CSV table of all heavy atoms in Angstrom, one decimal:
chain,number,residue,atom,x,y,z
A,10,LYS,N,108.7,80.2,133.8
A,10,LYS,CA,108.8,79.2,134.9
A,10,LYS,C,108.2,79.8,136.1
A,10,LYS,O,108.6,81.0,136.5
A,10,LYS,CB,110.3,78.9,135.1
A,10,LYS,CG,110.6,77.6,135.6
A,10,LYS,CD,112.1,77.3,135.6
A,10,LYS,CE,112.6,76.3,136.4
A,10,LYS,NZ,114.1,76.3,136.3
A,22,TRP,N,118.7,81.6,130.0
A,22,TRP,CA,118.4,82.4,128.8
A,22,TRP,C,119.4,82.1,127.7
A,22,TRP,O,119.0,81.9,126.5
A,22,TRP,CB,118.5,83.9,129.2
A,22,TRP,CG,118.6,84.9,128.1
A,22,TRP,CD1,119.8,85.2,127.4
A,22,TRP,CD2,117.6,85.7,127.5
A,22,TRP,NE1,119.5,86.1,126.4
A,22,TRP,CE2,118.2,86.4,126.5
A,22,TRP,CE3,116.2,85.8,127.8
A,22,TRP,CZ2,117.5,87.3,125.7
A,22,TRP,CZ3,115.5,86.7,127.0
A,22,TRP,CH2,116.1,87.5,126.0
A,37,GLY,N,113.1,76.9,110.6
A,37,GLY,CA,112.4,78.2,110.3
A,37,GLY,C,111.1,78.5,111.0
A,37,GLY,O,110.4,79.4,110.8
A,46,ILE,N,100.6,83.7,128.7
A,46,ILE,CA,99.8,84.8,127.9
A,46,ILE,C,98.3,84.4,128.0
A,46,ILE,O,97.5,85.3,128.0
A,46,ILE,CB,100.4,84.8,126.5
A,46,ILE,CG1,101.8,85.4,126.5
A,46,ILE,CG2,99.5,85.6,125.6
A,46,ILE,CD1,102.5,85.5,125.2
A,48,SER,N,96.7,82.9,130.4
A,48,SER,CA,96.3,82.4,131.7
A,48,SER,C,94.9,82.9,132.0
A,48,SER,O,94.2,82.2,132.8
A,48,SER,CB,97.3,83.0,132.7
A,48,SER,OG,97.3,84.4,132.7
A,62,LEU,N,82.7,87.8,114.2
A,62,LEU,CA,83.1,88.7,113.0
A,62,LEU,C,82.9,87.9,111.7
A,62,LEU,O,82.2,88.4,110.8
A,62,LEU,CB,84.6,89.1,113.2
A,62,LEU,CG,85.2,89.8,112.0
A,62,LEU,CD1,84.6,91.2,111.8
A,62,LEU,CD2,86.7,89.9,112.1
A,95,PHE,N,90.9,89.1,107.2
A,95,PHE,CA,90.9,90.5,107.4
A,95,PHE,C,92.3,91.0,107.7
A,95,PHE,O,92.9,90.4,108.7
A,95,PHE,CB,90.0,91.0,108.6
A,95,PHE,CG,88.5,90.8,108.4
A,95,PHE,CD1,87.9,89.6,108.7
A,95,PHE,CD2,87.8,91.8,108.0
A,95,PHE,CE1,86.6,89.4,108.6
A,95,PHE,CE2,86.4,91.7,107.8
A,95,PHE,CZ,85.8,90.5,108.1
A,100,VAL,N,98.3,97.3,114.6
A,100,VAL,CA,97.2,97.4,115.5
A,100,VAL,C,97.5,98.2,116.8
A,100,VAL,O,96.7,98.7,117.5
A,100,VAL,CB,96.5,96.1,115.9
A,100,VAL,CG1,96.0,95.4,114.7
A,100,VAL,CG2,97.5,95.2,116.6
A,108,THR,N,88.6,101.0,113.4
A,108,THR,CA,88.0,101.2,112.0
A,108,THR,C,87.2,99.9,111.6
A,108,THR,O,86.1,100.0,111.1
A,108,THR,CB,89.2,101.4,111.0
A,108,THR,OG1,89.9,102.5,111.4
A,108,THR,CG2,88.6,101.7,109.6
A,123,GLU,N,89.3,95.7,122.5
A,123,GLU,CA,90.2,95.4,123.6
A,123,GLU,C,90.9,94.1,123.5
A,123,GLU,O,92.1,93.9,123.8
A,123,GLU,CB,89.4,95.4,124.9
A,123,GLU,CG,89.3,96.8,125.6
A,123,GLU,CD,88.2,96.7,126.7
A,123,GLU,OE1,88.2,95.7,127.4
A,123,GLU,OE2,87.4,97.7,126.7
A,152,HIS,N,124.8,95.9,120.6
A,152,HIS,CA,124.3,97.0,119.8
A,152,HIS,C,123.4,96.6,118.7
A,152,HIS,O,122.6,97.4,118.2
A,152,HIS,CB,125.6,97.8,119.3
A,152,HIS,CG,125.9,97.9,117.9
A,152,HIS,ND1,126.0,99.1,117.3
A,152,HIS,CD2,126.0,97.0,116.9
A,152,HIS,CE1,126.2,99.0,116.0
A,152,HIS,NE2,126.2,97.7,115.8
A,168,LEU,N,93.4,88.3,110.6
A,168,LEU,CA,92.4,87.4,111.2
A,168,LEU,C,92.0,86.4,110.1
A,168,LEU,O,91.6,86.9,109.0
A,168,LEU,CB,91.2,88.2,111.6
A,168,LEU,CG,91.5,89.4,112.5
A,168,LEU,CD1,90.2,90.1,112.8
A,168,LEU,CD2,92.1,89.0,113.8
A,187,HIS,N,103.5,79.9,100.9
A,187,HIS,CA,104.2,81.2,100.8
A,187,HIS,C,105.2,81.3,102.0
A,187,HIS,O,105.1,80.5,102.9
A,187,HIS,CB,103.2,82.3,100.9
A,187,HIS,CG,102.5,82.4,102.3
A,187,HIS,ND1,101.4,81.5,102.5
A,187,HIS,CD2,102.7,83.1,103.4
A,187,HIS,CE1,101.0,81.7,103.8
A,187,HIS,NE2,101.8,82.7,104.3
A,190,LYS,N,106.7,87.8,104.5
A,190,LYS,CA,107.7,88.8,104.0
A,190,LYS,C,108.3,89.7,105.2
A,190,LYS,O,109.3,90.4,105.0
A,190,LYS,CB,107.1,89.7,103.0
A,190,LYS,CG,106.5,89.0,101.8
A,190,LYS,CD,107.6,88.2,101.0
A,190,LYS,CE,107.0,87.2,100.1
A,190,LYS,NZ,107.3,85.8,100.5
A,206,VAL,N,104.0,72.8,106.6
A,206,VAL,CA,105.3,73.4,106.3
A,206,VAL,C,106.0,72.6,105.3
A,206,VAL,O,106.0,71.4,105.3
A,206,VAL,CB,106.1,73.6,107.6
A,206,VAL,CG1,107.5,74.0,107.3
A,206,VAL,CG2,105.4,74.6,108.5
A,226,ILE,N,107.1,81.8,113.3
A,226,ILE,CA,107.7,81.5,111.9
A,226,ILE,C,108.6,82.7,111.5
A,226,ILE,O,108.3,83.8,111.6
A,226,ILE,CB,106.5,81.4,110.9
A,226,ILE,CG1,105.5,80.4,111.3
A,226,ILE,CG2,107.1,81.1,109.5
A,226,ILE,CD1,104.2,80.4,110.4
A,232,LYS,N,115.4,86.5,107.6
A,232,LYS,CA,116.3,85.7,106.9
A,232,LYS,C,117.4,86.5,106.2
A,232,LYS,O,118.6,86.2,106.3
A,232,LYS,CB,115.5,84.8,105.9
A,232,LYS,CG,116.4,84.1,104.9
A,232,LYS,CD,115.5,83.4,103.8
A,232,LYS,CE,116.1,83.5,102.4
A,232,LYS,NZ,115.4,82.8,101.4
A,267,THR,N,112.9,101.7,107.2
A,267,THR,CA,114.0,101.0,107.9
A,267,THR,C,115.0,100.3,106.9
A,267,THR,O,114.5,99.6,105.9
A,267,THR,CB,113.5,99.9,108.9
A,267,THR,OG1,112.6,100.6,109.8
A,267,THR,CG2,114.6,99.2,109.6
A,270,GLU,N,120.2,95.4,107.2
A,270,GLU,CA,121.6,95.2,106.8
A,270,GLU,C,122.2,94.1,107.6
A,270,GLU,O,122.0,94.0,108.8
A,270,GLU,CB,122.4,96.5,107.1
A,270,GLU,CG,123.8,96.5,106.6
A,270,GLU,CD,124.4,97.9,106.7
A,270,GLU,OE1,123.9,98.8,107.3
A,270,GLU,OE2,125.5,98.0,106.0
A,271,VAL,N,122.9,93.2,107.0
A,271,VAL,CA,123.5,92.0,107.6
A,271,VAL,C,124.5,92.5,108.6
A,271,VAL,O,125.4,93.3,108.3
A,271,VAL,CB,124.1,91.1,106.6
A,271,VAL,CG1,124.9,89.9,107.3
A,271,VAL,CG2,123.1,90.5,105.6
A,296,HIS,N,108.4,96.0,95.9
A,296,HIS,CA,108.8,95.0,94.9
A,296,HIS,C,107.9,93.7,94.9
A,296,HIS,O,107.5,93.2,93.9
A,296,HIS,CB,110.3,94.7,95.1
A,296,HIS,CG,110.8,93.5,94.3
A,296,HIS,ND1,111.2,93.6,93.0
A,296,HIS,CD2,110.8,92.2,94.6
A,296,HIS,CE1,111.5,92.4,92.6
A,296,HIS,NE2,111.3,91.5,93.5
A,297,PHE,N,107.7,93.2,96.1
A,297,PHE,CA,106.9,92.0,96.3
A,297,PHE,C,105.5,92.2,95.8
A,297,PHE,O,104.9,91.4,95.1
A,297,PHE,CB,106.9,91.5,97.7
A,297,PHE,CG,105.9,90.4,98.0
A,297,PHE,CD1,106.1,89.2,97.4
A,297,PHE,CD2,104.8,90.6,98.7
A,297,PHE,CE1,105.2,88.1,97.5
A,297,PHE,CE2,103.9,89.5,98.9
A,297,PHE,CZ,104.1,88.3,98.3
A,302,ASN,N,106.3,87.7,93.4
A,302,ASN,CA,107.3,86.6,93.3
A,302,ASN,C,107.6,86.1,94.7
A,302,ASN,O,108.0,86.9,95.6
A,302,ASN,CB,108.5,87.2,92.6
A,302,ASN,CG,109.6,86.2,92.5
A,302,ASN,OD1,109.5,85.0,93.0
A,302,ASN,ND2,110.6,86.5,91.7
Side-chain angles (χ1 to χ4, degrees):
K10 209 169 161 185
W22 163 282
I46 291 180
S48 62
L62 173 69
F95 291 87
V100 299
T108 304
E123 269 167 44
H152 122 122
L168 310 175
H187 64 280
K190 305 295 163 245
V206 168
I226 307 173
K232 167 182 141 178
T267 303
E270 187 167 15
V271 174
H296 168 84
F297 172 67
N302 180 351

